[in-house]
């Protein structure tokens, strides 16, 4: 009995020694992550920009694949649709031209580059005059005249107004200067649209008108025209 029992105990002891020892999962995962985080394993990894580009192109490819699956004819059909859209866009661009922020008359007084004050137009005119650019100086001084009248509420601000329209409207409030306003408007049109080149006398005349208008008293509705200054 004791011999059999001893043999059985020995077998059990021998069998227990052959059972593999299991490493717990969490410590094993942490050890693997620690090992893989070493720089030697990441020397050839793409940089941040390259990874971002890879994600972007993967997204584009996914969109294309989805569109190709929905379009008749698959990828070939999608390519045909894209060419049609491009062709229609080009045709509209050619037919309508470059989009404008707001419609302007061909002979509009102000350019479509955002509003500027009378003082800014006067400063620009002075710069051009100092450089003997009389054409540009006349243009900016005429714009200063009209903008000043708008700032004084003698003219309603209106995009696309021409120099002739501004002179006619201003002449009603300042009848004593109506003739010179129309002359300045003609000078503006001649140098801007008529191909003429302005000279110093033309600029000095427009500048003098600007100075006088700045001090002129408007004629109120119903008042005597003889009160104009």
């Amino acid at each position: 009995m004791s011999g059999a029992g001893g043999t059985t105990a020995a077998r059990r002891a021998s069998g227990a020694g052959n059972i593999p020892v299991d490493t717990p999962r969490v410590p094993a995962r942490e050890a693997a992550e620690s090992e893989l985080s070493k720089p030697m394993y990441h020397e050839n990894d793409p940089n941040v920009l390259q990874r971002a580009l890879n994600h972007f192109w993967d997204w584009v490819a996914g969109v294309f694949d989805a569109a190709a699956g929905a379009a008749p004819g698959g990828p070939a059909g999608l390519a045909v649709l894209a060419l049609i859209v491009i062709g229609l866009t080009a045709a509209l661009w050619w037919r309508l031209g470059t989009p404008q922020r707001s419609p302007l008359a061909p002979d509009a007084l102000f350019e479509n580059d955002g509003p500027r004050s009378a003082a800014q137009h006067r400063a620009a005119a002075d710069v051009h005059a100092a450089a003997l650019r009389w054409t540009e100086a006349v243009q900016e001084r005429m714009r200063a005249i009209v903008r000043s009248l708008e700032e004084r509420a003698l003219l309603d601000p209106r995009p696309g107004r021409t120099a002739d329209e501004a002179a006619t409207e201003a002449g009603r409030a300042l009848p004593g200067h109506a003739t010179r306003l129309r002359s300045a408007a003609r000078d503006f049109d001649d140098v801007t649209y008529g191909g003429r080149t302005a000279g110093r006398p033309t600029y000095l005349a427009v500048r003098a008108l600007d100075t006088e208008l700045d001090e002129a008293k408007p004629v109120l509705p119903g008042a005597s025209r003889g009160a104009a200054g």
Side-chain angles (χ1 to χ4, degrees):
M1 293 293 296
S2 60
T7 302
T8 302
R11 290 177 180 175
R12 289 177 179 176
S14 176
N18 293 330
I19 297 175
V21 178
D22 292 334
T23 303
R25 294 182 179 179
V26 174
R29 184 176 67 249
E30 292 177 348
E33 292 175 353
S34 176
E35 178 66 21
L36 293 176
S37 66
K38 294 180 179 179
M40 60 182 294
Y41 295 105
H42 302 278
E43 293 178 353
N44 298 320
D45 286 356
N47 56 34
V48 176
L49 178 60
Q50 188 172 357
R51 289 199 299 270
L53 288 175
N54 290 339
H55 287 308
F56 171 76
W57 289 119
D58 289 343
W59 175 80
V60 171
V63 172
F64 182 81
D65 291 341
L78 181 62
V80 172
L81 290 176
L83 291 175
I84 292 174
V85 171
I86 294 173
L88 290 174
T89 303
L92 288 173
W93 189 278
W94 176 82
R95 183 71 178 84
L96 301 178
T98 303
Q100 299 291 330
R101 286 178 289 180
S102 62
L104 291 177
D107 53 350
L109 177 65
F110 294 101
E111 298 175 345
N112 195 11
D113 59 352
R116 291 189 291 168
S117 67
Q120 289 174 313
H121 285 295
R122 289 184 181 119
D126 290 339
V127 170
H128 289 306
L132 305 183
R133 295 190 294 265
W134 303 116
T135 295
E136 292 85 351
V138 167
Q139 293 170 328
E140 288 299 324
R141 186 61 68 164
M142 184 62 192
R143 289 168 181 147
I145 288 174
V146 176
R147 185 68 78 207
S148 177
L149 295 174
E150 291 177 348
E151 291 172 353
R152 295 171 60 191
L154 298 181
L155 288 178
D156 293 329
R158 179 160 56 85
R161 175 189 277 122
T162 66
D164 286 333
E165 291 171 343
T168 300
E169 296 171 21
R172 300 190 188 106
L174 299 164
H177 298 83
T179 300
R180 294 174 65 192
L181 278 165
R182 288 193 296 271
S183 177
R186 283 194 299 271
D187 289 334
F188 176 88
D189 289 340
D190 287 344
V191 301
T192 305
Y193 309 109
R196 273 186 49 197
T197 301
R200 184 172 183 269
T202 302
Y203 172 69
L204 293 179
V206 178
R207 187 181 69 176
L209 176 61
D210 182 23
T211 301
E212 293 178 23
L213 289 175
D214 201 39
E215 300 174 354
K217 299 285 200 262
V219 175
L220 299 177
S224 173
R225 295 178 64 89

